[in-house]
Amino acid sequence: MTTAILATADSAVCDHFAIENGVEVQTLMDRAGRAVANAIRARWAPVPVLVLAGPGNNGGDGLVAARVLREVGWPVRVMLLAAREGLSTDAARALDGWGGLVESPASGFLGDAALVIDALFGAGLSRPVEGSAADWLVRIRDSGLPVVSVDLPSGINGDARPLAGPHLTADLTITFHCRKLAHLVEPFAEMCGETVCVDIGIPDGWEARVTPVAREVDNPDWKPVEPSGYLSLHKHARGRVAVFSGGSQSSGAGRLAAAGALRAGAGVVTLCTPPSASLVNAAHLTAIMLARWGNDDQIGDVMTGLRAEAAVLGPALGVGSATRKAVLGALEADVPLVLDADALTSFADDADSLVDQLHDRCVLTPHHGEFSRLFGEGRPNWNKLEQAQSAADRCGCTVLLKGPATIIATPGLTPWINRHACRWLATAGSGDVLAGIIAAGLAAGMSPHDAAAGATWLHGDAALRQGAGMTAEDLPDALPGALQALQRRKRQTAALSHLLSHGS
């Protein structure tokens, strides 16, 4: 199950669809403004509030929020960026509904405000903020006051296009119907603070009018925990994964990947180890099997001998010609592959020699540095989603670009974004565990796109369960809890769907 992420223009299409189907603009604006007021009341005690309203419907939402807060006893002041005659028709009606004093900005315009509602510009901003509005943003930013932004912090483009002018950083952002890309990808997502997406009653059928730029991963399928033929199940039916280890001084990464695959549901996981690492790997492993592998061995023959249904290459394998040879040999075997870390960096000076051999059952899992070394930075105005999709189209396979918002891009498919994670994943070895989890999904017969999305959600959920102080070694042991949580979520979703379809 995924949640749609819309381009800014398509958000407007959804609003127009609602209007065409009998929902008045003022009704949408009232719902939006009330949602802003309610979110504030849920987080702050009554304090003096300053509402800064722009000339468009974003400003109208802010004016409704001002009215609702005043009605429940909050002290509220309102300032307009434009004169009344410069307001949109619907914002002017919201101003009539406010009915109170409208102040003019002055040098001390913040006054006694303890909270600022930023309703100046919405997600559709396409050029840098200038003039008096820019001065407002700088003063608010420098004040250190809490900021609640309507739709997006002013100065930020909803489609995650960088703008050169000043912008606000919000403590809370309230958006409506569907999130935009800037709510999810960095650096913009951090500028939004806590983001809440509110249903304002867009009627069913809007999906036919728009094409999401991406979807947010939620309740993914995960085939390794739902095997068929349960009564006659055996370990080989749950998938066989091969992980290739580095030498004795760098063998831990391979063990982490293998542990991730085993805990995520693979039935047989084998760590293929060079002779120098055989003893250290054997001393650390019990349920994970060992097989010999040396640089002079044909890696395809090793995978064939293990009957591997997926393999992981790259974690601490070493950067250089030996790794390039291993990767190209594994690609010839035509087995689903997860290529990570050194398997990618080894081709930094000759990306085409890798790209030309990739097949559609590969998953590449670079972080930003590895991605840049292999694919470059892309066009100057590209956002992270466009970079990942361009790389996937060039490679003809799935590219998983890691980060606070992990992008899963596959040719011909809608990209997915996963933010179900925490900052504690920024630790050495966590990506190795992720590579193993993906391989478990591939070995169970999942598509690369589905395996990458599901693995990313499980990886993030395991980290959330561990929390502060987590290391990569903690992640595999947290996976059973993440898998059980996913199963519960799917049962709850199925029960709710049944109830909505059949009634009580």
Side-chain angles (χ1 to χ4, degrees):
M1 179 179 175
T2 54
T3 304
I5 302 162
L6 298 184
T8 300
D10 279 341
S11 292
V13 169
C14 292
D15 289 343
H16 289 303
F17 175 79
I19 295 164
E20 291 171 11
N21 284 272
V23 183
E24 296 184 356
V25 176
Q26 287 303 120
T27 299
L28 295 173
M29 189 173 287
D30 187 72
R31 290 170 180 168
R34 285 184 180 277
V36 172
N38 290 339
I40 291 171
R41 293 176 64 200
R43 290 163 178 78
W44 282 275
V47 294
V49 175
L50 174 64
V51 178
L52 300 177
N57 285 4
N58 189 258
D61 296 340
L63 290 167
V64 172
R67 171 172 58 81
V68 173
L69 288 173
R70 183 185 61 187
E71 288 172 351
V72 293
W74 287 48
V76 182
R77 297 162 50 219
V78 166
M79 289 185 181
L80 292 180
L81 179 62
R84 179 189 174 88
E85 48 273 20
L87 300 180
S88 71
T89 301
D90 298 299
R93 290 175 181 168
L95 180 61
D96 292 338
W98 159 248
L101 178 66
V102 176
E103 301 181 25
S104 299
S107 58
F109 79 104
L110 291 173
D112 65 347
L115 179 71
V116 174
I117 296 180
D118 159 34
L120 292 171
F121 305 105
L125 187 68
S126 59
R127 64 178 186 269
V129 179
E130 299 173 338
S132 59
D135 181 55
W136 283 22
L137 299 189
V138 171
R139 291 196 214 176
I140 297 166
R141 182 193 64 199
D142 292 347
S143 74
L145 290 173
V147 174
V148 176
S149 290
V150 179
D151 201 16
L152 268 177
S154 289
I156 296 176
N157 170 263
D159 296 325
R161 307 283 180 206
L163 299 176
H167 64 81
L168 291 181
T169 295
D171 297 88
L172 173 67
T173 297
I174 315 298
T175 192
F176 314 107
H177 182 52
C178 288
R179 298 178 200 268
K180 289 82 175 174
L181 196 56
H183 293 124
L184 294 159
V185 301
E186 301 301 344
F188 310 102
E190 189 168 354
M191 300 172 190
C192 295
E194 179 190 358
T195 301
V196 177
C197 187
V198 178
D199 180 4
I200 56 171
I202 304 296
D204 290 342
W206 61 269
E207 297 93 336
R209 297 286 187 93
V210 299
T211 300
V213 293
R215 293 187 179 275
E216 191 171 3
V217 179
D218 183 31
N219 284 9
D221 292 325
W222 190 247
K223 191 173 179 180
V225 299
E226 297 173 352
S228 59
Y230 177 79
L231 293 178
S232 59
L233 191 66
H234 55 84
K235 61 181 180 287
H236 294 284
R238 292 177 57 192
R240 295 181 291 267
V241 173
V243 178
F244 289 84
S245 169
S248 60
Q249 300 298 308
S250 54
S251 59
R255 290 195 299 273
L256 286 169
L262 192 65
R263 284 294 199 178
V268 179
V269 179
T270 303
L271 186 63
C272 303
T273 179
S276 66
S278 293
L279 289 178
V280 66
N281 279 328
H284 281 85
L285 300 175
T286 304
I288 294 167
M289 300 180 183
L290 286 173
R292 182 191 179 282
W293 171 65
N295 288 335
D296 54 345
D297 296 322
Q298 294 297 320
I299 193 170
D301 293 341
V302 174
M303 291 193 293
T304 300
L306 295 172
R307 294 183 293 162
E309 293 164 299
V312 178
L313 280 86
L317 209 56
V319 175
S321 59
T323 295
R324 286 197 297 272
K325 175 185 174 184
V327 171
L328 294 174
L331 287 167
E332 290 178 1
D334 198 30
V335 170
L337 293 179
V338 182
L339 301 179
D340 184 35
D342 294 348
L344 303 177
T345 300
S346 291
F347 291 90
D349 297 330
D350 187 14
D352 287 341
S353 65
L354 172 63
V355 170
D356 291 346
Q357 299 303 314
L358 291 168
H359 52 73
D360 62 5
R361 293 192 290 166
C362 294
V363 180
L364 279 54
T365 60
H367 57 56
H368 178 74
E370 292 159 349
F371 184 93
S372 298
R373 287 192 287 271
L374 197 61
F375 300 111
E377 294 290 345
R379 296 178 185 173
N381 65 335
W382 273 5
N383 56 47
K384 185 179 178 181
L385 183 76
E386 290 166 324
Q387 290 177 325
Q389 189 63 60
S390 174
D393 291 342
R394 177 183 172 189
C395 293
C397 66
T398 297
V399 172
L400 185 154
L401 179 52
K402 293 182 284 197
T406 292
I407 311 291
I408 300 103
T410 302
L413 298 177
T414 301
W416 285 349
I417 299 178
N418 183 77
R419 285 194 70 92
H420 183 71
C422 67
R423 65 186 63 196
W424 295 102
L425 279 173
T427 185
S430 67
D432 305 325
V433 178
L434 175 61
I437 302 171
I438 298 169
L442 293 173
M446 297 180 71
S447 73
H449 198 64
D450 289 348
T456 306
W457 189 96
L458 288 167
H459 186 245
D461 195 75
L464 287 166
R465 290 171 183 281
Q466 292 299 110
M470 180 207 81
T471 71
E473 292 171 284
D474 300 321
L475 287 171
D477 288 343
L479 280 170
L483 290 163
Q484 291 162 17
L486 181 58
Q487 289 177 308
R488 285 194 300 271
R489 286 165 65 99
K490 294 185 75 65
R491 286 195 296 267
Q492 291 165 356
T493 301
L496 178 60
S497 178
H498 179 81
L499 181 63
L500 294 174
S501 299
H502 299 86
S504 57

